[in-house]
Amino acid sequence: MSERIDSASTTGMDWLLPKIKTMTVPLIGILIFLGIWQMGAPKIVTSLGAVPGPTQVFQQFVGLVDEHKEAREKEAAFIKRQEVRNAKKLEKDPNAVVKIRAYTGKATFFDQIWTSLLTVSAGFLIASLIAIPIGIIAGLSQTVYTAINPLIQVFKPVSPLAWLPIITMIVSAVYVSDSPMFEKSFVTSALTVMLCCLWPTMINTAVGVANISQDLQNVSKVLRLSWWTHVVKIVLPSAVPMIFTGLRLSFGIAWMVLIAAEMLAQNPGLGKFVWDEFQNGSSNSLGRIMVAVIVIGVLGYLLDRGMLTLQKYVSWDKSQALR
Amino acid sequence: MSTKEHLVITQASIDFPTPNGPYRALDKVNLKIAKGEFVSIIGHSGCGKSTVLNIVAGLYQATEGGIILDGKEVNEPGPERAVVFQNHSLLPWMSAYENVELAVKRVFKGKKSKAEMKEWIEHNLSLVHMDHAMDKRPDEISGGMKQRVGIARALAMEPQVLLLDEPFGALDALTRAHLQDSLMEIQKDLGNTVIMITHDVDEAVLLSDRIVMMTNGPAATVGEILDINLPRPRDRVAMSETPEYIRCRKAVLSFLYERHGKKIEEEPEVVEETVETAEEAATEAVEAEASNLVDIKKKVKTEAA
C-alpha cells in the first residue's frame, strides 16, 4: 500500500489518489452488494417465481420506461384524434359545443412518481408553514412551550397511518365541491404527510430558537429591537441550522409515510404502484416492485441532498460542515 | 442638576436566587459619575464588577437601590446606554457595516435620512479604523477588528453612557494597546461618559479619570475610589515613568493583592488568574520593548544630527 502511494507521489499523481479513493470505495461496495444479490436471489423461489436479480430488475426498469413511452404516444394520438374530430364538428356547424375530454389511460410508473413527489412536497410545505412559526413562538416563550409540549410529545410517536382513516373520513365529509381543485386522494395523502412533518420541525425549531446565545439576546435588548426585527434579524438566522435539521428529519419521515399511506389508502402514487403490482401477481411483479424500491430510495436520497443544498444556500455559515 | 449628577448609582444591591436561598452578589454599591468622565471598575474575577455594569445597562434589575441617569430611573436596557460586550457579540451573519446599521436604524429611524445614516455608519467605522473592512463578516476579521466593530456599533448609537465590559480582555497585548489608544482618541473627540470593566491594572490607570476598586464577593461593594491626576492626552510610554502613574498603579495593586487579595484555596479560577499575570507580564515586556525603541530612535536622531 505504502509503495503504491510512494510511486504515485513520485510521478506527481498524489492529488489523484484521494479522488480515486472516494470514487472507487463506494463503487466496490455497490458491486459486492450486486454480486451477492445476483447470486443469492435465484435460490429463493416464491409463488411468483424466483426472486429477480439485478439484471432482471434492470430489464423490468427498461420495460417500465417503454410502457411509459407507449402510454404517452397513446395519449398524443388520443388528443390528436379528439382535435381532428372537434375541428370537423366546428367545420360543419360553427356553433357546435365541442367537448374536450382528458386522456384517461392507466397511470404509468413515472406518472406515479410524479404524483408522489407532488403529494409529499405539498404536505411538507403546509407542515413547514405551520410548524416553523409555532416552533419560533414556543422557543421564544417558555409559557407557550410548556403549554404545547405535552401535545407534541403525545402526537409525535403516533404513526400518521393511524390518522389516515380519520383524515379520509374528514376529507370526504368536509372537502366537497363541484369542481375540486385537487383530488380527494391527493388531499388525504398530503394531509397525512403533513401530520407527520409537523413534529420534528416544530421541536427542532423551538430548541434552536430557545438556544440563541445570551450575548446576541443582550444585543437585541440593548438595542430595544422590536419583536419582529428581533425574530427576523436575530432569531431566524441563529436557528436556521436547527430548523433545517427538523425539516430534513420531517422530509425523510414524510417520504416513508407517503409510500405506506398510498399503499394503504389506494391513493395514486408509488405506493399504489407497489400495491397494484403485488395484487397483480404476474411473473414480472417482483421485479417491478424492486424497481420501485430502488427508485423510492434514490429519490429519497436526492430529496435529502436537495434540502442540504437549500440549507447551504440559506445558511449564513458557509464554512459549516453539512452532512 | 449639576454635571456631577449625570449618572448616580445608589445603594444598588442584587440577590441571585440559588437552591440554598438568595445569594447576595452586590451589596450597597454607591457611585456618582459626571458627564464625560471615564471610570474604570476593577476587581478580582467573580467580584461582581460585570454585575454592576449589567445593572447600569438594565440587563439586570437591582434587588435594592437603583440607577438614575440624567434624573430618570433606569429600569430596562436601552440604546442610550450602549454596551460593548467582552466577546464582541456581533451578529455573525451580518457584515461589519450591517452590524452597525442595525443599531443606527434602530436609534435614528425617522431622524436621519438614508444617506445621512449611511454616512453616519461609515463615519463611526472610520473612527475605529475599520472603514477598509466594512463589508467583511465577523468570521473574516481578527478578534481586535471584531472588537473595533463592536465599539463602532456602540458609538453609533450616540449613547449618553458607553459601557465597556472587559472590552479588550480576549485580545493579545499588542492589539489591546492599539485599541486602548484608539479608545482614548475617540473619547477625547466625543467626550462620552464611559464605564469600563477591566482586570488589567495598567489599562485602568492609562484610560481612566477614576478607578473604582471592588471588594471580593459575596456581597461585593465599592472598596476604594482612586483619582488619576494624569494630564491628557496620555502617552503610555512617556507616562509609565511618571511618579503619578507609579503611585496610581501601586495603589491599585496594593488594594487588589495586599488588602483584598484572594486566597488561592478560595479561588475557583486559578487558571484565569495565572493567565492574567502572564498577560500582565507580556504587556510589561511589550512596554519595555517600546521604550527601548524610543531610546533607539533618539540615538539614531542624535547620531543623524
Side-chain angles (χ1 to χ4, degrees):
Chain A
M1 186 69 197
S2 68
E3 271 175 32
R4 222 184 70 196
I5 290 174
D6 284 347
S7 64
S9 57
T10 48
T11 52
M13 297 284 277
D14 38 347
W15 60 270
L16 203 61
L17 264 184
K19 283 196 176 174
I20 292 173
K21 212 176 170 188
T22 50
M23 297 276 282
T24 46
V25 173
L27 261 178
I28 292 170
I30 293 170
L31 284 177
I32 291 175
F33 169 75
L34 289 178
I36 295 172
W37 180 10
Q38 183 74 53
M39 285 190 292
K43 301 210 164 80
I44 307 167
V45 181
T46 67
S47 59
L48 296 176
V51 173
T55 41
Q56 289 97 316
V57 169
F58 183 73
Q59 282 158 10
Q60 291 304 332
F61 178 74
V62 175
L64 284 168
V65 173
D66 289 343
E67 256 177 44
H68 180 71
K69 280 184 191 155
E70 224 171 90
R72 274 296 115 83
E73 276 162 19
K74 268 190 193 166
E75 186 182 352
F78 168 83
I79 290 172
K80 207 168 182 189
R81 275 203 310 276
Q82 180 172 272
E83 273 171 5
V84 171
R85 200 167 49 232
N86 286 340
K88 272 185 188 167
K89 233 185 188 178
L90 284 171
E91 223 171 82
K92 277 186 194 164
D93 172 14
N95 297 326
V97 184
V98 290
K99 280 181 189 162
I100 295 174
R101 290 193 178 84
Y103 176 70
T104 49
K106 184 172 164 270
T108 68
F109 180 60
F110 295 94
D111 295 335
Q112 304 284 36
I113 292 179
W114 181 240
T115 312
S116 284
L117 285 176
L118 219 59
T119 317
V120 83
S121 311
F124 173 76
L125 265 179
I126 301 170
S128 306
L129 289 178
I130 297 172
I132 293 177
I134 294 182
I136 289 174
I137 292 166
L140 289 173
S141 154
Q142 185 63 43
T143 319
V144 176
Y145 182 79
T146 320
I148 66 171
N149 192 38
L151 292 175
I152 297 178
Q153 299 305 337
V154 167
F155 286 134
K156 192 181 62 147
V158 177
S159 165
L161 297 179
W163 289 105
L164 189 64
I166 303 176
I167 294 174
T168 312
M169 296 314 289
I170 293 178
V171 167
S172 33
V174 176
Y175 190 68
V176 187
S177 106
D178 295 333
S179 55
M181 204 160 107
F182 305 107
E183 282 176 45
K184 266 184 189 163
S185 59
F186 173 82
V187 177
T188 311
S189 305
L191 285 182
T192 311
V193 165
M194 183 205 84
L195 267 180
C196 73
C197 282
L198 283 177
W199 319 116
T201 307
M202 208 182 280
I203 293 172
N204 279 284
T205 306
V207 171
V209 169
N211 288 335
I212 296 170
S213 101
Q214 189 60 47
D215 291 319
L216 297 187
Q217 294 191 41
N218 281 344
V219 169
S220 180
K221 278 186 198 158
V222 168
L223 285 174
R224 253 191 241 152
L225 293 181
S226 66
W227 188 85
W228 181 249
T229 320
H230 175 67
V231 168
V232 171
K233 298 272 179 181
I234 294 182
V235 169
L236 272 178
S238 310
V240 154
M242 280 302 276
I243 294 178
F244 265 92
T245 307
L247 288 177
R248 282 173 66 195
L249 276 174
S250 290
F251 216 19
I253 299 172
W255 188 233
M256 287 199 272
V257 162
L258 175 72
I259 306 294
E262 285 166 351
M263 279 177 84
L264 204 65
Q266 291 293 291
N267 291 334
L270 277 168
K272 182 169 158 54
F273 174 86
V274 171
W275 191 250
D276 286 352
E277 286 302 329
F278 176 58
Q279 296 296 334
N280 189 10
S282 86
S283 54
N284 289 337
S285 286
L286 282 182
R288 288 157 76 101
I289 291 174
M290 279 189 188
V291 173
V293 166
I294 292 167
V295 166
I296 290 168
V298 170
L299 282 179
Y301 172 73
L302 290 180
L303 288 175
D304 191 56
R305 286 282 116 177
M307 289 296 290
L308 199 64
T309 315
L310 185 66
Q311 177 174 8
K312 274 186 188 153
Y313 179 73
V314 173
S315 175
W316 51 272
D317 191 357
K318 308 287 181 203
S319 63
Q320 193 185 21
L322 298 173
R323 53 183 77 213
Chain B
M1 185 174 29
S2 79
T3 49
K4 263 259 167 275
E5 304 270 294
H6 182 49
L7 178 78
V8 186
I9 306 175
T10 317
Q11 299 284 75
S13 309
I14 194 163
D15 293 329
F16 290 119
T18 70
N20 310 322
Y23 169 82
R24 174 142 291 209
L26 284 183
D27 192 41
K28 300 193 181 77
V29 172
N30 288 301
L31 192 60
K32 284 181 185 175
I33 295 170
K35 211 175 179 77
E37 198 175 13
F38 195 122
V39 175
S40 289
I41 301 179
I42 199 165
H44 288 285
S45 34
C47 75
K49 48 192 197 295
S50 283
T51 313
V52 176
L53 195 90
N54 280 329
I55 295 176
V56 178
L59 292 168
Y60 288 164
Q61 283 289 313
T63 317
E64 290 159 28
I67 316 284
I68 290 172
L69 174 64
D70 278 341
K72 269 186 223 150
E73 193 178 355
V74 168
N75 282 321
E76 53 175 352
E80 77 280 0
R81 282 161 283 120
V83 187
V84 176
F85 298 94
Q86 179 172 10
N87 51 357
H88 67 79
S89 293
L90 298 177
L91 305 184
W93 43 87
M94 291 183 180
S95 69
Y97 181 91
E98 287 166 329
N99 264 290
V100 180
E101 188 185 34
L102 184 69
V104 169
K105 272 195 174 162
R106 178 65 191 85
V107 178
F108 295 104
K109 198 163 191 179
K111 292 179 204 155
K112 280 186 198 289
S113 71
K114 260 194 177 160
E116 280 171 332
M117 279 197 214
K118 184 170 184 289
E119 199 183 309
W120 177 243
I121 296 163
E122 284 167 0
H123 168 73
N124 278 284
L125 280 165
S126 67
L127 266 185
V128 295
H129 308 296
M130 278 300 295
D131 38 346
H132 63 285
M134 305 197 284
D135 298 321
K136 292 242 162 81
R137 285 212 315 232
D139 55 352
E140 298 168 324
I141 56 181
S142 70
M145 289 161 96
K146 281 180 228 180
Q147 206 51 274
R148 282 173 192 274
V149 178
I151 293 171
R153 177 172 64 184
L155 289 174
M157 300 179 211
E158 261 187 353
Q160 289 166 286
V161 185
L162 185 60
L163 304 170
L164 307 170
D165 188 0
E166 297 193 26
F168 313 132
L171 304 176
D172 65 275
L174 273 177
T175 314
R176 191 190 302 192
H178 274 299
L179 281 184
Q180 287 164 351
D181 290 339
S182 294
L183 183 61
M184 276 198 286
E185 229 172 84
I186 291 164
Q187 216 253 341
K188 189 187 83 190
D189 292 344
L190 303 181
N192 289 87
T193 309
V194 183
I195 304 178
M196 180 177 74
I197 305 295
T198 182
H199 52 232
D200 181 335
V201 178
D202 290 284
E203 180 172 274
V205 176
L206 176 68
L207 295 175
S208 323
D209 298 315
R210 278 192 297 160
I211 299 180
V212 175
M213 290 171 265
M214 303 232 350
T215 62
N216 289 329
T221 188
V222 173
E224 234 173 81
I225 299 180
L226 179 74
D227 287 303
I228 314 279
N229 298 314
L230 286 164
R232 286 179 191 271
R234 294 172 183 172
D235 177 81
R236 69 176 64 240
V237 181
M239 200 180 67
S240 60
E241 310 260 298
T242 61
E244 172 67 4
Y245 183 88
I246 293 166
R247 176 190 76 85
C248 295
R249 199 169 181 281
K250 207 176 160 197
V252 179
L253 286 175
S254 96
F255 176 90
L256 288 179
Y257 297 104
E258 284 167 15
R259 276 171 290 153
H260 293 274
K262 272 199 165 182
K263 286 180 198 126
I264 291 299
E265 59 264 32
E266 280 178 17
E267 177 57 81
E269 290 160 302
V270 186
V271 185
E272 200 182 303
E273 199 73 359
T274 356
V275 171
E276 278 175 30
T277 24
E279 276 175 359
E280 267 172 36
T283 325
E284 270 169 25
V286 168
E287 279 169 12
E289 199 67 27
S291 57
N292 272 345
L293 273 178
V294 172
D295 288 347
I296 292 168
K297 261 191 190 169
K298 274 182 195 162
K299 267 187 198 165
V300 172
K301 268 187 192 167
T302 45
E303 272 170 21

